[in-house]
Amino acid sequence: NTSINLLSCQQWHNYQQMKLKRQVALWIGIFSVIFWAEPSFQDSAPIFTRIASSPTCEQGLDTSKVYIAGLFDTLNFDWGQEIFDFTISLLNDHHNYWHDDILNDGTEIIATVADAGCDPGIAVPAYWDLKTSWGQPLHGVIGCRCSGASIAVSRIAGLEDIPVVSMSSSSAQLSDIIDFSSFFRLVGPDNSRGQVGALVTLLQSFGWDRVSVINTDTQYTKDLATAFGNTWTGDIAHIHTVSIRPDGTVEDTSVDQALDGVPVDDPRVNSRIIVLIAHHQHAYPILQRAQQRNFQPDTVWVGADAWTGQFFGSDTEWMPDIPGYIGVVPYRNNDSHLHDFLNRLQNHQKATQTTTPSISPASGSAAEDTTFPSLPSYAAETMVDSIVALTMAISSLNPGERADGKKIITALSQTNFTGVSGPVSFTPEGDRANPRYSVLNLPTRGKEWENVGFITPGAIGEGVNALDICWASIGCDQQEAPSDEYPVPPEKLQTWVIAVITTISLLVVALAAKYWRSHEKKKRLKTNISEMQKKMEAMKTIDTELLDLDKQVEEAKRRQASLILQRANLQEMPSTWSSSGETLVEVTPDDDQYWSVHDKLKETMSNAWMSKVWRVQNTSLWTYYSFHKDRLTMIDIDHNERHVWHGTSSLDPSIIYNDQQDGFMMQFSNMGFWGRGIYFANNSSYSDSYSYKPSENTQSDRPRSNKGEREMFLAKLLVGNEIFMNRDESNSRAQECARLTVPPTDANSGLKYNTVTGETGGSQVWVVYENGRAYPDYLIRYYKGKRDPKRTPFETREEAMRRTKRYSNNPKTKDVLPEFKSIIAVPAPKGVVTWEYYDNGWKPYGNTAQDALETAYQSFVGTSNTGNHKVQVLGGKNYNEWTYEVDLMTFVQTNIEHSAHTKRDVRRNTSL
């Protein structure tokens, strides 16, 4: 097809506008990855050295081509380039009966590969070079193979809604749809829904309920071991982390400690099953060390994907005759779809006279073999299906929509087909749905791993049989799996026999002691000196790394402060704030804010009187709070904003309101009825029990307090999506609540609730488990009992207004007091949508304006936020003298009749 489909100039102009709007967010994301990544990334040459040549309006956006980038480590993935290029060539040929319906409208796939190196410091520059090399929008990325590189690339790609489809990255962190909204993968995550669940199901299928765990101290294996411990419901007899030297080898002494700790002789707690979680370059030395020490030859070693199925090398003499190692790897498919692809690949290699060293026939020589070849890794199968899934999603869209990453992501989430690696579909988190894992067994020394079945997380007993497995020291063709316990040791010798043996042994030792004493002393001295030298070198290395980490932490803190300051300069401050540069600004009785707080305090504490009220004007904290509010808006969750009480107990409130980063911090929280979190209450009487007793001495930024006075915050809280958990329902429910560290998951949305709420002490309380979701709006100093006119000069607002505003007491000339305007934030009633504007507090529009705004909003949303987003309405509920224009995209109201064109914030208040 020689014709070129071009978008119109107006469409190209709209695309450029969208691109410009994302630049700020994109660059912030890129620099956050730079400071987050490995030191080698920061020391590398300048990353962004190429400027993309954007098409002119005359040139247009070429819709006859689809641009796909391949990112994986080409050194350890040496066959990846050939598989990638061959798959693209199959898809571009629409007459070979292999997915001919994908992009069969004359569209050509343009693809190229860059080395990601399994390293964020290499992957991000490679991604950026590919993204900017064509001068056209990047439609998607295939890769990366390793989780670290995928995390870095996906953070940046997600900011521009560029889909990333990985063939093998399995970190559970990548399942976070907030941080990695455009990420998909053809494998399961490293948790109960993926590899860890498969390991646990395999163990349970053999009836085992007691294991030992040995893992190395790499981040990946430690995370995997933690996930295993959280998922495994049986007993763990022993757990140990093996240390890795700076040169990447395992420490023999650490391996010895791990083996010595396994309870091999106590029948009450022993375990024959050892789950080894390590990469293959570390697992094999551990297994070799165990064999050299003649460690329990009937031990069953169970492996994770990181070493199961890997080549041991040519030196296997150290292995027992029947190693009996078993483990799980992502499922190796063997159906007609795989055979068809491999047959095409083999024919292509013969036709082009090329051979990939890593791809070998099932038996015999390549020239003589008539069977299908086998691929070197499951990642080859999933790479093919990654490309098919991405192009299938793009193909489902009209050519004019294919530059819209969000639509490609939506189409990807709905993809469902049977591919080379088996059935392919995705969970809402972008993980492969219903992942299977192959069970491999090493039956004989010097032989290859054998596929003995498959396992699905949670499906106990399905797809695997003990009869097909060779077990260490026991052999093959066993009807049942061995017990998870070592054999019980024989009965102890009689006391008199032990006494005789002990006496003889002591005599022998005494005779030999003199001879060996000198020799052993010298040997110990030499050993101690050697060990001391090793420790000194190790400590020197650690000290150097600690200094480097300190520098990185300080740099990150400076960068964070800089970003907060930049956002603060763009963030609009509340209209209730004064121009004072002070953090604490006293609120006087002639201000409605004073009486709003007064009324809220006395709702549940009628004998309380305020002696001081301060408004907290902390720009950094307000910016961080606004960021969380915007984040809720972006994922379509109602703010559900409330004014709530919080007492700081013995913690000085100044630590919170003077903080420049978090304000209310989890670091200061304690365990409560709903776990360790930050607690807020609806009733002031409840928080009174946790109020702060200020010092009667002079304080730095607050005046000296009087006897009996207390202090607590009236805070703004973004409740968001909340769940009520009644801890009084049962003892088990109370224990469940007490163990909370994060809110439970909402079954409707698949996301975690934002807030947990419940009742205690006669008050409703809310608990959040993250910083930044609450702002210390007001600090109140109060006392209880009879009102003291010196500290509280006015009993009512009317009295304060008349005396401070100097209203006349003559009934004929007495002015009417201004209407009371409360600033207390109260969520809208459940199921009710209310449009409100901010004027010393949120206030509703009139009924006519409510209908006009909601109608315009639904119309705007119905056009995917591309239609008319401005509507004109009359004033608020109590006045109609002005006409306002409301922008539904920015939620800002402009007085178009006022000469100053004053602006106010607008919100659509709805209850979930």
Side-chain angles (χ1 to χ4, degrees):
N1 186 356
T2 58
S3 63
I4 297 178
N5 301 316
L6 301 179
L7 294 181
S8 67
C9 287
Q10 181 60 44
Q11 289 174 308
W12 174 250
H13 176 71
N14 293 340
Y15 169 77
Q16 289 292 347
Q17 281 190 331
M18 176 184 70
K19 182 177 178 182
L20 288 172
K21 289 179 180 178
R22 292 176 175 172
Q23 289 305 306
V24 173
L26 175 62
W27 283 107
I28 291 175
I30 291 173
F31 283 113
S32 68
V33 171
I34 292 175
F35 289 106
W36 165 84
E38 299 278 336
S40 61
F41 190 132
Q42 301 178 33
D43 297 336
S44 61
I47 298 169
F48 310 113
T49 57
R50 184 186 303 166
I51 305 292
S53 55
S54 300
T56 63
C57 185
E58 291 76 11
Q59 178 185 350
L61 182 63
D62 191 351
T63 62
S64 68
K65 294 180 176 62
V66 167
Y67 296 85
I68 296 176
L71 287 175
F72 43 83
D73 50 318
T74 56
L75 179 61
N76 296 319
F77 215 41
D78 54 351
W79 43 263
Q81 176 84 52
E82 181 174 359
I83 299 293
F84 184 92
D85 292 342
F86 179 67
T87 305
I88 295 297
S89 68
L90 287 180
L91 291 172
N92 275 329
D93 182 359
H94 299 288
H95 304 287
N96 57 11
Y97 302 101
W98 196 80
H99 295 292
D100 287 347
D101 56 336
I102 293 180
L103 296 172
N104 62 352
D105 55 358
T107 302
E108 180 186 7
I109 303 173
I110 306 297
T112 189
V113 171
D115 184 12
C118 265
D119 183 351
I122 300 175
V124 172
Y127 162 79
W128 188 258
D129 283 345
L130 289 180
K131 176 184 177 299
T132 58
S133 62
W134 287 303
Q136 294 285 342
L138 180 61
H139 292 82
V141 175
I142 301 300
C144 302
R145 186 170 73 92
C146 302
S147 295
S150 289
I151 288 171
V153 171
S154 298
R155 285 186 187 276
I156 299 176
L159 296 173
E160 288 192 308
D161 297 322
I162 295 177
V164 178
V165 186
S166 172
M167 68 289 291
S168 57
S169 294
S170 58
S171 170
Q173 183 180 352
L174 287 164
S175 296
D176 190 331
I177 62 175
I178 302 297
D179 290 341
F180 307 99
S181 58
S182 67
F183 181 78
F184 296 80
R185 54 180 160 194
L186 269 291
V187 294
D190 288 334
N191 56 25
S192 60
R193 294 182 286 110
Q195 179 182 182
V196 172
L199 271 174
V200 170
T201 303
L202 176 66
L203 298 172
Q204 293 174 337
S205 296
F206 296 134
W208 298 333
D209 60 5
R210 181 183 296 166
V211 300
S212 293
V213 178
I214 296 177
N215 64 277
T216 53
D217 65 354
T218 67
Q219 191 60 50
Y220 171 80
T221 53
K222 287 191 292 186
D223 290 345
L224 200 60
T226 300
F228 178 84
N230 293 335
T231 306
W232 175 249
T233 58
D235 295 331
I236 296 181
H238 173 65
I239 186 168
H240 188 89
T241 299
V242 174
S243 300
I244 305 298
R245 298 189 184 99
D247 64 357
T249 60
V250 297
E251 285 189 3
D252 291 341
T253 55
S254 184
V255 176
D256 292 341
Q257 292 172 359
L259 298 175
D260 292 339
V262 177
V264 298
D265 56 357
D266 187 347
R268 297 168 299 175
V269 297
N270 66 8
S271 175
R272 171 184 279 163
I273 315 304
I274 298 181
V275 178
L276 178 58
I277 301 176
H279 290 89
H280 70 278
Q281 66 268 30
H282 301 143
Y284 299 162
I286 294 174
L287 295 171
Q288 184 174 6
R289 184 71 174 173
Q291 182 66 14
Q292 290 170 348
R293 292 189 45 178
N294 196 29
F295 174 81
Q296 291 298 123
D298 56 344
T299 298
V300 178
W301 294 89
V302 182
D305 165 49
W307 67 273
T308 299
Q310 300 290 332
F311 180 57
F312 274 87
S314 58
D315 179 18
T316 58
E317 291 301 319
W318 56 268
M319 282 188 186
D321 293 336
I322 303 178
Y325 308 144
I326 60 174
V328 297
V329 297
Y331 185 65
R332 300 302 304 273
N333 192 30
N334 193 32
D335 64 8
S336 60
H337 294 83
L338 173 68
H339 292 175
D340 177 53
F341 177 82
L342 295 180
N343 189 34
R344 292 171 185 270
L345 176 61
Q346 189 180 44
N347 291 336
H348 167 75
Q349 290 178 325
K350 290 177 180 179
T352 57
Q353 295 183 349
T354 60
T355 302
T356 303
S358 298
I359 300 177
S360 59
S363 64
S365 67
E368 300 173 351
D369 182 40
T370 59
T371 63
F372 296 117
S374 61
L375 292 180
S377 168
Y378 71 89
E381 302 168 15
T382 53
M383 172 188 276
V384 176
D385 286 344
S386 296
I387 299 172
V388 173
L390 177 59
T391 54
M392 185 177 290
I394 297 172
S395 179
S396 68
L397 303 175
N398 295 325
E401 298 176 322
R402 291 171 183 168
D404 189 337
K406 289 186 177 179
K407 291 186 178 180
I408 298 177
I409 292 170
T410 300
L412 254 175
S413 67
Q414 299 168 356
T415 300
N416 191 333
F417 67 97
T418 300
V420 172
S421 65
V424 176
S425 61
F426 299 102
T427 68
E429 297 82 11
D431 303 324
R432 185 169 190 159
N434 305 314
R436 273 186 175 183
Y437 290 81
S438 294
V439 180
L440 304 185
N441 175 228
L442 190 64
T444 309
R445 179 179 61 197
K447 299 293 184 179
E448 294 183 356
W449 291 83
E450 292 184 0
N451 191 332
V452 295
F454 67 89
I455 207 79
T456 302
I460 299 175
E462 175 190 282
V464 64
N465 192 326
L467 189 64
D468 300 323
I469 298 174
C470 292
W471 305 97
S473 298
I474 298 176
C476 309
D477 302 323
Q478 301 296 312
Q479 293 293 333
E480 295 181 351
S483 168
D484 58 354
E485 298 178 1
Y486 289 113
V488 178
E491 295 183 1
K492 294 183 179 180
L493 297 174
Q494 295 183 5
T495 304
W496 69 269
V497 176
I498 296 176
V500 170
I501 294 175
T502 302
T503 302
I504 296 174
S505 299
L506 290 174
L507 289 174
V508 173
V509 170
L511 293 173
K514 184 176 181 180
Y515 173 80
W516 286 101
R517 186 175 303 163
S518 177
H519 175 74
E520 289 298 315
K521 184 176 180 180
K522 292 178 181 179
K523 184 178 179 180
R524 284 195 302 270
L525 181 60
K526 185 177 180 180
T527 301
N528 290 339
I529 293 174
S530 176
E531 290 180 353
M532 184 177 297
Q533 289 175 341
K534 291 180 180 179
K535 289 181 180 179
M536 292 297 291
E537 289 297 323
M539 291 171 62
K540 184 177 179 180
T541 301
I542 293 172
D543 289 343
T544 301
E545 293 181 0
L546 287 174
L547 288 175
D548 291 340
L549 287 174
D550 287 341
K551 292 178 182 179
Q552 294 177 36
V553 170
E554 290 301 320
E555 183 63 28
K557 288 181 178 179
R558 286 194 294 270
R559 179 61 180 164
Q560 182 185 41
S562 175
L563 291 175
I564 291 176
L565 181 60
Q566 292 178 35
R567 198 181 198 280
N569 292 334
L570 300 174
Q571 176 70 46
E572 185 176 350
M573 296 300 112
S575 59
T576 56
W577 284 18
S578 67
S579 59
S580 170
E582 300 295 327
T583 300
L584 279 188
V585 178
E586 184 173 356
V587 180
T588 56
D590 59 351
D591 192 326
D592 278 351
Q593 297 177 62
Y594 180 95
W595 295 102
S596 297
V597 177
H598 168 273
D599 294 346
K600 181 69 175 174
L601 178 71
K602 292 179 94 47
E603 280 180 1
T604 56
M605 221 165 32
S606 59
N607 64 335
W609 299 95
M610 300 191 306
S611 55
K612 291 285 184 183
V613 179
W614 293 280
R615 182 176 58 250
V616 179
Q617 297 186 178
N618 187 318
T619 302
S620 297
L621 294 188
W622 179 257
T623 300
Y624 193 37
Y625 177 78
S626 300
F627 163 77
H628 280 276
K629 182 181 288 188
D630 294 342
R631 183 168 65 91
L632 291 177
T633 301
M634 289 173 62
I635 58 177
D636 199 24
I637 293 180
D638 181 62
H639 301 156
N640 201 2
E641 188 177 55
R642 297 175 179 271
H643 266 109
V644 289
W645 297 98
H646 180 85
T648 61
S649 298
S650 60
L651 184 70
D652 193 319
S654 63
I655 295 176
I656 294 176
Y657 64 69
N658 280 328
D659 186 53
Q660 296 300 306
Q661 183 172 330
D662 298 298
F664 295 109
M665 289 180 282
M666 284 289 296
Q667 292 87 331
F668 294 124
S669 62
N670 297 316
M671 294 296 296
F673 287 155
W674 287 271
R676 185 172 181 265
I678 308 174
Y679 285 66
F680 300 90
N682 183 64
N683 295 354
S684 58
S685 57
Y686 180 86
S687 295
D688 174 58
S689 303
Y690 301 93
S691 60
Y692 176 74
K693 181 180 179 181
S695 172
E696 296 183 9
N697 300 322
T698 302
Q699 301 176 37
S700 58
D701 53 356
R702 304 196 301 280
R704 181 177 62 86
S705 64
N706 293 305
K707 185 176 182 180
E709 290 184 330
R710 313 287 292 189
E711 291 178 346
M712 61 182 173
F713 284 111
L714 180 60
K716 276 189 173 181
L717 175 66
L718 294 172
V719 176
N721 188 11
E722 61 182 322
I723 178 174
F724 183 86
M725 299 186 70
N726 183 7
R727 63 177 306 276
D728 297 325
E729 178 180 310
S730 63
N731 289 335
S732 60
R733 187 65 164 175
Q735 293 174 4
E736 177 188 358
C737 292
R739 290 193 298 266
L740 286 175
T741 56
V742 294
T745 300
D746 186 347
N748 295 325
S749 65
L751 302 175
K752 288 184 174 60
Y753 286 96
N754 303 114
T755 307
V756 172
T757 184
E759 292 186 356
T760 181
S763 174
Q764 184 174 5
V765 297
W766 291 269
V767 188
V768 295
Y769 302 87
E770 60 178 330
N771 298 347
R773 290 251 309 284
Y775 177 77
D777 210 5
Y778 296 92
L779 177 64
I780 297 91
R781 179 177 290 177
Y782 65 97
Y783 60 95
K784 291 188 287 188
K786 184 178 179 181
R787 179 173 70 90
D788 182 359
K790 292 183 180 180
R791 290 184 283 178
T792 312
F794 306 111
E795 185 173 359
T796 64
R797 173 180 179 268
E798 180 178 2
E799 179 186 356
M801 290 297 181
R802 296 199 180 282
R803 291 178 60 181
T804 58
K805 298 295 184 181
R806 303 174 186 240
Y807 284 90
S808 172
N809 289 323
N810 188 335
K812 295 181 179 181
T813 61
K814 181 171 64 176
D815 295 328
V816 178
L817 289 176
E819 178 187 1
F820 176 56
K821 299 177 180 178
S822 176
I823 52 85
I824 300 300
V826 179
K830 295 291 182 181
V832 176
V833 175
T834 306
W835 286 87
E836 300 170 326
Y837 60 93
Y838 193 86
D839 182 9
N840 290 326
W842 290 105
K843 301 175 182 178
Y845 286 91
N847 293 334
T848 302
Q850 292 279 350
D851 295 339
L853 286 168
E854 183 62 19
T855 300
Y857 174 80
Q858 293 298 335
S859 175
F860 177 58
V861 173
T863 61
S864 299
N865 298 351
T866 60
N868 180 33
H869 56 87
K870 294 184 178 180
V871 58
Q872 291 187 5
V873 297
L874 293 176
K877 188 173 182 180
N878 300 316
Y879 59 89
N880 295 312
E881 66 270 24
W882 299 105
T883 301
Y884 299 90
E885 183 179 78
V886 178
D887 190 326
L888 299 177
M889 184 174 292
T890 61
F891 279 76
V892 173
Q893 162 190 290
T894 304
N895 189 332
I896 60 177
E897 294 182 351
H898 195 282
S899 60
H901 285 70
T902 56
K903 298 180 182 294
R904 297 188 187 278
D905 288 336
V906 173
R907 74 177 182 182
R908 181 177 182 264
N909 195 352
T910 180
S911 208
L912 294 179

